[in-house]
Structure formats: C-alpha cells, structure tokens
Amino acid sequence: MDLNLKQNKNNLLFLPLGGANEIGMNVNLYHLDGKWIMVDLGVGFAYDVPGVDMLTADISFIKAHKKDLLAIIITHIHEDHIGAVQYLWEELRVPVYTTELAANFLRSKLSEFKLEKTVDIHIINKNKELALDPFKIEFLGLTHSVPEMKALIIKTPKGNILHTGDWKFDPDPVVGEISEKEKIREYGDKNEILAVVCDSTNAISEGHSKSEGDLYHSLKLLIQDRKGLVGVTTFASNIARIHTIARIAKECGRKVVLAGWSLHRIYEVAKKSGYFGESFDFISDREIKFFSKNEILVLSTGCQGEPLAATKKIATDTHPTIRFSKGDLMIFSSKIIPGNEKKIFELFDALAKKQIDVLTEKDHFVHVSGHPSQDELREMYALARPQIAVPVHGEFIHTKTHAEIAKEAGVTQTFQIENGLAVKLSHAGPEVAGFVKSGYFGVDGNQLIDINGRIIKERRKLENAGIAIISLMVNDSLELIANARITCIGSYDIDNDIDAKNFLNQEIKMILKGKAKELDLGKNIGFKFLKKKKQNRRLRETKILSDIEKSMRSRILKLFEELMGKRPVLEIIIHLG
Ligand SMILES: [Zn+2]
Ligand SMILES: [Zn+2]
C-alpha cells in the first residue's frame, strides 16, 4: 500500500528512509499537517559492491516533497548520522540544525565539496525550543562515545515523540555532559510521551554498557609500564577515546602522535569546539625522531583494517615516518564490526608477523560501546513511560529483542518499523500508514549510483569474467578490410594465443560471408543497392550492421566459453569503411 499523503494529511507519521532495520545510514522523517522534518542524514558501509565503500539512502520520496520539508536536524557527529549531508543536501536545500561541535565538523567536511558557505547551518540553543510549526523540538543531552549527542523531544498536538539518537547512560563519559535523565523523567511522570524511537544496537547485550571512565583505568594499566612504542587504534570520531588516551599518554610521559587524516580533522574540530582544552602533548609525526620510543604514543586510524589507513601502513612498514618493531605494542581500542572481520584479522596477522604485541577487545578490556545494553533500555522506558516503542538502529534481531524488553518494561505497544514504511502514531496505537520508495545509492567517486542499477550490474559482470572488445571494419560487400582487432581486458590472454586470434578472425569472416549471401550482396553490388532508397539508407545500414552484430555475438561468446570456461562481457563494434 503506497502512502497516501492526502488521507494522512493530519496524521503524525514516522517514516525512516534508512537506519530502521540496519546499523548505519540513519535518515528519519516525521510528518504532521503536510509538513516534514528530517532527523539525521547519514551514510552506511557498503559490503561487496564493486568500487563503492559507502552508501546513502534513496531520498527520492522526500525530494519530491522538499517544499514541505522544514529542516534537517542532526543528532551527533557520527558518520551514520551526519555523513550524507555533503552528498544529498543540494537535492533538498533546507536549513540544517545541530550542535556547535557537529556544525564545526560538518563545515569541515562540506569545505571539501565547496559547500561550507552554501549550506544554511544553525546552531541549536539547548535551553530554547526550536519552533518548526507544527513541530516544537526540545533537545536533551544523552551520553554516547562523542560529546554533544542530542536526543529530541518532538512536541506536536498529536503527541510527543522522544527520538533518542545514539546513547548510553554513562555516569563518567570523560568528555561532555552526563545524560539529562531528569528531564525525561519529568515527561514520563506526566505521561507526556506518546512514542519513543530508540537505539537498538546493543539490545542483545545483557546488563549495563561499561563506562568510558572505567576504560581509562584499564587502558592505563596496560600502557603505563610498557617499554618501546605504544600504538592505540580507534574510531577517529570517538572523541571520548582520544581524550582518554591522550590523558593516559600524558600521565605516562608520552607525547601523542596522531596518524591518519580523519583523526587530525576530528582533533582540530573538537579543539575548536572547546574540547582538549587541557595542555595535552600532541606532536606531529615528523617530530618523532626527536624522541625515544618510550616517549611516544601513536594514535592511529584504521581499526577496521582499512587498507589505506595509518594502522595498516604501520603494520606493513609503508608509513612515511612511523616504524614499529619487535616488542612494540598496538592496542585495538575498538569493536570488530561484523563484515570487517577478514580485513581486521589480516591486520592482526601483519602486526603479529612483525612480532608486535596486539591487544584487542577479545582478550582485554580495551573498548566500551557507546550504545545502551538491556539494563539501560529498561531504565529509559521506566523514565519515559511511553505508550509506544519503535526500535530502530539495529538489525531485526536487535529491534525484535528491544521490543520484547520494552514490553517487559511496561510499554503497551511496540512497532517493528522498516525503511520506507510510514507508521501513524496516535493514542489509538501505531498503525501502518503506507509505504514509499526506499533503497540505497553508492558513493562512487563524485557520483551517486543506484546499487541495483545498470552500472553496478555491469561492474559485477566485468569483475567476474572481464571484457572482450572486437572491432571490425567491413566494406560494402561485407568483407573484412583488415583483421578484426580483438582486445581482452581481465578476461583472456589473447595476445599470447595466436591460434585463438586466427580462429576468431576466420569465424568472423564466415559469419560475414553468410550474412552477405543472405542479403544477396555477393555480385559486387554491396550496400550500394541501398542507394536507390536514399532517405532510408542510414537506417537500413544501421539495421543490417546490428543484425550482423547479433548473429556474431552468440557465436563468439560460445567460442570464448570454450577458451575460458565462462563468458566475458562482449563488445562488438562494426564500422563500414
Ligand atoms: Zn553514534
Ligand atoms: Zn549511529
């Protein structure tokens, strides 16, 4: 059932275009009285899409209604919430509201696209409601692995929604403020929250997520007595972790070297936004040579095994200035994200071969999650006491388990949402309002391409068996003027198989001969007979050449199948000389 906007004009709708049944690419829409607001516009990781590492949501639905889109509100600086603004904002051209830290980060990213002056960015005032009629929005601080993560209370005459964003209840988040639980409790006590749209990332983890503050003690114990170089790799965006590690380095008499462009950027942005105010000792990688190994801590990008990132370069001795050797230490202060295992284990292996000690979350307490485990979800529902829970930011197993927890915590109604599904939220309960188009686009260099479209299909074919290009020049009598040019790329080593080349040429000649006979072009009349019907000549020539191409294609593909055991992509170009 397609979403009928006329019928739903006065309904409060929640419609995610991304991030509903997955972890990543969050794009959420809320609707009332014909107006929309968007919460977050993030990217997702692409797995097994040739040439594409990153995905954005298909936003064609809201693009068609952009005159009714009032704003984009960004909850925090993580790429799965902010990362698609640089790719998709121009299609929407509406104001962006966010915190100072996220605004600084966004401007830095937009400058690469020469958009930093074009995008209309407003910094939210956390003490003042944002009025976007018919919505009023109050911002609540929740702890996460980055500071300034803002949950939204979206207030409407049809009911209020708590959109949590990414969060955990961390009593000691290291940087930034602690969660504003009391504000949530105030709404909950008055039964003023209709629905909670909430993070499910860790819904299958029991207990309470550990605190960034506890991690500080564990990491310090692992680092303080080490001799030699110490490296820590983590997610570049994890400002809390950078802070924790920089503090430990200082206390252990080590200078911090940032390795990797994205860490440099986040450090500069965070500093500009008022973090890292204390006098931490950061030095550039070129200054390493002035210090002994015992005086350095390298903080590097690439904890997911990214092939071009600093940690990989360190492991393969291809970093321009940083050299690790036997007995040095590399700590992976990060999660092994499902899908990245192969690349990460290759990296562990490369480090181990160099006899560098490797510590990971599998064997040591070196990482904490930024998302709520089951006890925190229970606490959130006890505080907010909503009528409806809509779990998002998780795969089906996470959102399903999350819904069960919400029910146990006293929430009467839960709703399993999916990308492209609009749910009507009202005191009568959640109800399917209809579906809109949703999907994925791949970031491919400077273009966005449909990952189920022609380009990717062709790329997969090429990836599987390469291409053969046959270019021939024929005369009026359909005779080859010269031997056909056969070029094989990623398919067959034709240049070292003269027999195959000759055989293909013979076959081509035979096919041409057969066709000439069929068309009665034999008596040196050739294509000239077409001249009688001048106006149609071009058209008929084209038709004849395309007929020849068709009959040649199936035969030549068969021949390649005999040569290679599979069929390459085949391109036949016939010129009339
Ligand atoms: Zn996040
Ligand atoms: Zn997220």
Side-chain angles (χ1 to χ4, degrees):
M1 177 178 66
D2 285 348
L3 175 66
N4 183 325
L5 278 180
K6 265 193 192 139
Q7 272 174 16
N8 283 287
K9 173 110 202 293
N10 300 315
N11 291 338
L12 174 60
L13 304 177
F14 169 55
L15 163 58
L17 294 178
N21 26 33
E22 61 197 340
I23 296 178
M25 207 186 74
N26 299 282
V27 183
N28 303 288
L29 293 168
Y30 290 94
H31 164 275
L32 183 64
D33 296 345
K35 298 291 175 197
W36 296 89
I37 53 170
M38 180 181 277
V39 181
D40 290 330
L41 184 52
V43 286
F45 282 122
Y47 295 101
D48 297 327
V49 185
V52 172
D53 298 323
M54 229 173 328
L55 301 172
T56 75
D58 177 344
I59 57 158
S60 50
F61 166 76
I62 193 64
K63 195 180 159 189
H65 297 94
K66 66 177 176 185
K67 66 172 192 340
D68 298 316
L69 178 65
L70 303 171
I72 302 168
I73 300 160
I74 303 288
T75 57
H76 68 294
I77 65 165
H78 277 152
E79 291 294 331
D80 58 323
H81 298 259
I82 202 171
V85 177
Q86 69 231 49
Y87 304 118
L88 299 176
W89 182 85
E90 283 208 290
E91 298 188 28
L92 302 170
R93 300 188 85 86
V94 295
V96 176
Y97 291 86
T98 192
T99 66
E100 188 179 351
L101 173 66
N104 286 335
F105 184 56
L106 190 55
R107 284 193 195 102
S108 163
K109 283 157 65 71
L110 290 168
S111 66
E112 288 167 40
F113 291 73
K114 300 204 165 46
L115 278 173
E116 77 277 23
K117 292 200 172 78
T118 321
V119 181
D120 185 16
I121 303 174
H122 301 257
I123 294 173
I124 56 166
N125 179 345
K126 67 171 189 171
N127 301 316
K128 210 176 138 207
E129 274 181 357
L130 171 63
L132 296 165
D133 193 39
F135 306 94
K136 283 197 180 71
I137 294 148
E138 183 182 337
F139 295 93
L140 291 179
L142 291 183
T143 47
H144 186 36
S145 49
V146 294
E148 299 185 21
M149 191 345 271
K150 296 293 175 197
L152 277 53
I153 298 211
I154 303 169
K155 301 178 186 178
T156 81
K158 297 280 164 103
N160 300 333
I161 296 167
L162 169 58
H163 180 102
T164 66
D166 294 0
W167 64 280
K168 67 192 227 182
F169 284 143
D170 190 340
D172 183 9
V174 178
V175 283
E177 295 164 344
I178 58 162
S179 297
E180 295 182 274
K181 289 186 193 177
E182 283 313 308
K183 281 194 183 170
I184 302 173
R185 192 198 305 275
E186 276 171 35
Y187 284 98
D189 285 351
K190 289 186 268 175
N191 281 322
E192 284 183 344
I193 295 180
L194 171 65
V196 171
V197 174
C198 182
D199 183 353
S200 311
T201 316
N202 280 352
I204 54 174
S205 306
E206 287 176 8
H208 197 292
S209 292
K210 288 196 173 124
S211 167
E212 190 69 33
D214 293 339
L215 184 68
Y216 155 77
H217 297 288
S218 171
L219 282 171
K220 190 170 176 191
L221 281 175
L222 294 170
I223 293 171
Q224 64 186 4
D225 296 326
R226 288 293 304 205
K227 294 273 172 279
L229 270 176
V230 170
V232 183
T233 179
T234 189
F235 302 103
S237 60
N238 195 330
I239 294 176
R241 194 66 43 82
I242 300 171
H243 204 280
T244 300
I245 291 158
R247 183 175 156 202
I248 294 168
K250 190 174 169 66
E251 289 165 2
C252 299
R254 289 175 185 264
K255 314 268 181 211
V256 178
V257 176
L258 296 178
W261 150 240
S262 46
L263 265 170
H264 279 279
R265 165 151 71 192
I266 208 82
Y267 172 69
E268 290 304 327
V269 165
K271 208 170 157 185
K272 191 175 171 186
S273 312
Y275 301 93
F276 300 107
E278 302 161 54
S279 55
F280 289 127
D281 289 330
F282 287 89
I283 59 165
S284 89
D285 61 342
R286 284 184 299 277
E287 293 172 274
I288 280 188
K289 55 180 181 281
F290 303 120
F291 299 91
S292 78
K293 280 188 156 194
N294 298 336
E295 294 173 302
I296 296 290
L297 185 146
V298 175
L299 189 52
S300 57
T301 55
C303 63
Q304 297 304 303
E306 297 90 330
L308 301 176
T311 309
K312 184 80 181 203
K313 288 182 185 162
I314 290 168
T316 51
D317 272 342
T318 50
H319 193 279
T321 50
I322 300 170
R323 288 284 171 273
F324 273 54
S325 53
K326 186 179 173 183
D328 292 339
L329 170 69
M330 180 61 81
I331 299 174
F332 282 72
S333 184
S334 54
K335 184 178 152 60
I336 298 171
I337 294 179
N340 295 340
E341 293 93 341
K342 190 169 176 286
K343 281 188 285 180
I344 298 174
F345 283 100
E346 275 171 12
L347 182 54
F348 290 167
D349 210 42
L351 290 161
K353 269 187 193 148
K354 284 169 57 70
Q355 293 182 292
I356 295 163
D357 299 334
V358 176
L359 304 182
T360 76
E361 62 155 358
K362 284 201 171 296
D363 38 56
H364 289 81
F365 178 35
V366 290
H367 177 62
V368 292
S369 168
H371 301 272
S373 297
Q374 294 182 348
D375 284 353
E376 287 148 288
L377 291 174
R378 288 188 189 105
E379 190 179 353
M380 176 61 92
Y381 288 112
L383 291 169
R385 293 157 68 175
Q387 181 192 324
I388 306 163
V390 186
V392 294
H393 207 292
E395 284 163 8
F396 187 73
I397 178 76
H398 305 107
T399 54
K400 184 175 166 281
T401 311
H402 182 162
E404 284 159 12
I405 292 165
K407 280 231 160 110
E408 281 165 23
V411 180
T412 47
Q413 287 153 322
T414 63
F415 190 85
Q416 277 292 332
I417 194 80
E418 56 187 271
N419 293 339
L421 166 59
V423 57
K424 175 184 165 188
L425 299 169
S426 77
H427 293 288
E431 198 183 309
V432 172
F435 287 86
V436 307
K437 188 168 176 267
S438 69
Y440 300 90
F441 277 84
V443 179
D444 184 44
N446 56 12
Q447 58 177 351
L448 289 179
I449 53 175
D450 182 353
I451 63 159
N452 295 311
R454 212 194 72 206
I455 293 177
I456 295 296
K457 278 188 188 137
E458 287 170 348
R459 214 172 267 181
R460 284 191 203 284
K461 271 197 200 162
L462 290 170
E463 197 180 31
N464 180 48
I467 186 169
I469 303 163
I470 296 192
S471 170
L472 20 132
M473 179 88 82
V474 295
N475 65 15
D476 272 357
S477 306
L478 286 188
E479 290 155 349
L480 274 185
I481 292 173
N483 267 348
R485 223 171 74 203
I486 305 168
T487 313
C488 290
I489 304 169
S491 53
Y492 185 74
D493 190 5
I494 195 87
D495 293 329
N496 285 318
D497 191 345
I498 299 299
D499 290 346
K501 221 175 202 174
N502 290 339
F503 188 68
L504 277 164
N505 261 294
Q506 271 172 27
E507 286 293 312
I508 289 166
K509 276 180 199 154
M510 263 170 56
I511 294 166
L512 287 170
K513 213 171 180 180
K515 205 73 194 170
K517 205 170 169 193
E518 196 184 309
L519 290 166
D520 202 19
L521 303 180
K523 299 157 204 148
N524 272 341
I525 303 169
F527 273 40
K528 284 170 199 147
F529 81 98
L530 295 174
K531 279 185 181 161
K532 291 177 196 158
K533 301 167 183 170
K534 244 184 187 166
Q535 72 273 33
N536 286 335
R537 182 177 170 174
R538 271 258 160 256
L539 220 64
R540 300 223 26 209
E541 269 178 21
T542 315
K543 189 174 174 322
I544 288 169
L545 293 182
S546 105
D547 277 358
I548 297 170
E549 195 247 299
K550 258 184 222 151
S551 39
M552 212 172 261
R553 165 173 295 277
S554 54
R555 176 72 186 135
I556 289 178
L557 276 175
K558 260 207 187 95
L559 292 174
F560 269 105
E561 200 171 7
E562 280 167 28
L563 283 172
M564 297 165 58
K566 54 186 185 176
R567 293 181 168 212
V569 173
L570 177 64
E571 196 62 41
I572 300 173
I573 307 155
I574 307 173
H575 299 281
L576 197 55

